Amino acid sequence: MASDIDETANDPTTPLRIGYAAGAFDLFHVGHLNILKHAKSQCDYLIAGVVSDEMLQLTKGITPVVPLFERLEIVRHISFVDEAVAEVVEDKLETWRQVRFDVFFKGDDWRGTPRGTRLEREFAEVGVDVVYFPYTVNTSSTMLRRALDALTRPDLSARWKAHAAEGTS
């Protein structure tokens, strides 16, 4: 991976733009692929941060279906990704200190929220741009997780159907 950076870095007229896109990347789907593809189109070198099992449990209260080492292996082999790292801290600024990047890619559900505003402010202080991408509407890991639950846990299937009927899914 470092050789990819070195080739671009040898040209003093072309500043290297390093991007960082974090995600669970659990139940990998086309929405994940789209985020990584769009991120790569806006940087020279893309680092994908794969959120650890423990961080997903802490921040979202979910246990991933696919364990971290397998998710890392999947993401590492996506052609748009130059490097994949495990994201093991909640603080994105701490992640920046460890990894170093120029642009941070995030889903647009953070835009305009207190967390998003704080993230933009903290990153602006260290010269990192925040770029938001829209989520893929038709596919999400939450939808896939619900489908798996419906297949494997009939008791949850009725609950998901009730939520969907109420429009709260």
Side-chain angles (χ1 to χ4, degrees):
M1 303 298 170
S3 62
D4 295 338
I5 291 176
D6 293 342
E7 287 176 21
T8 309
N10 286 337
D11 181 357
T13 62
T14 307
L16 183 66
R17 186 166 160 94
I18 300 172
Y20 184 82
F25 302 112
D26 194 25
L27 301 172
F28 198 89
H29 55 76
V30 73
H32 295 137
L33 190 63
N34 287 340
I35 286 174
L36 295 170
K37 179 176 161 182
H38 293 302
K40 179 62 177 187
S41 74
Q42 296 193 27
C43 65
D44 301 305
Y45 189 85
L46 179 62
I47 302 169
V50 181
V51 180
S52 72
D53 299 353
E54 296 78 16
M55 288 307 303
L56 284 173
Q57 193 64 260
L58 176 70
T59 60
K60 293 188 176 188
I62 62 168
T63 301
V65 174
V66 180
L68 175 62
F69 74 93
E70 291 181 19
R71 291 182 286 125
L72 271 167
E73 196 63 18
I74 291 166
V75 172
R76 205 173 261 134
H77 284 87
I78 302 299
S79 64
F80 310 115
V81 174
D82 295 295
E83 183 178 346
V85 298
E87 187 172 292
V88 296
V89 295
E90 186 176 4
D91 182 358
K92 301 299 183 195
L93 199 54
E94 181 59 32
T95 298
W96 172 81
R97 286 185 192 102
Q98 294 172 3
V99 179
R100 297 293 175 158
F101 44 85
D102 306 299
V103 60
F104 181 82
F105 301 105
K106 191 68 186 152
D108 63 3
D109 58 328
W110 276 48
R111 186 192 311 260
T113 66
R115 285 178 79 184
T117 302
R118 187 182 82 236
L119 182 78
E120 291 170 27
R121 185 182 63 250
E122 290 176 349
F123 276 153
E125 291 173 5
V126 295
V128 173
D129 296 325
V130 176
V131 174
Y132 294 101
F133 290 131
Y135 280 118
T136 303
V137 177
N138 298 325
T139 307
S140 75
S141 296
T142 301
M143 288 173 34
L144 293 172
R145 199 170 281 108
R146 287 179 182 171
L148 283 173
D149 283 345
L151 292 171
T152 60
R153 296 193 53 199
D155 57 312
L156 291 180
S157 180
R159 187 180 318 161
W160 294 128
K161 287 179 185 174
H163 283 295
E166 296 169 6
T168 60
S169 63

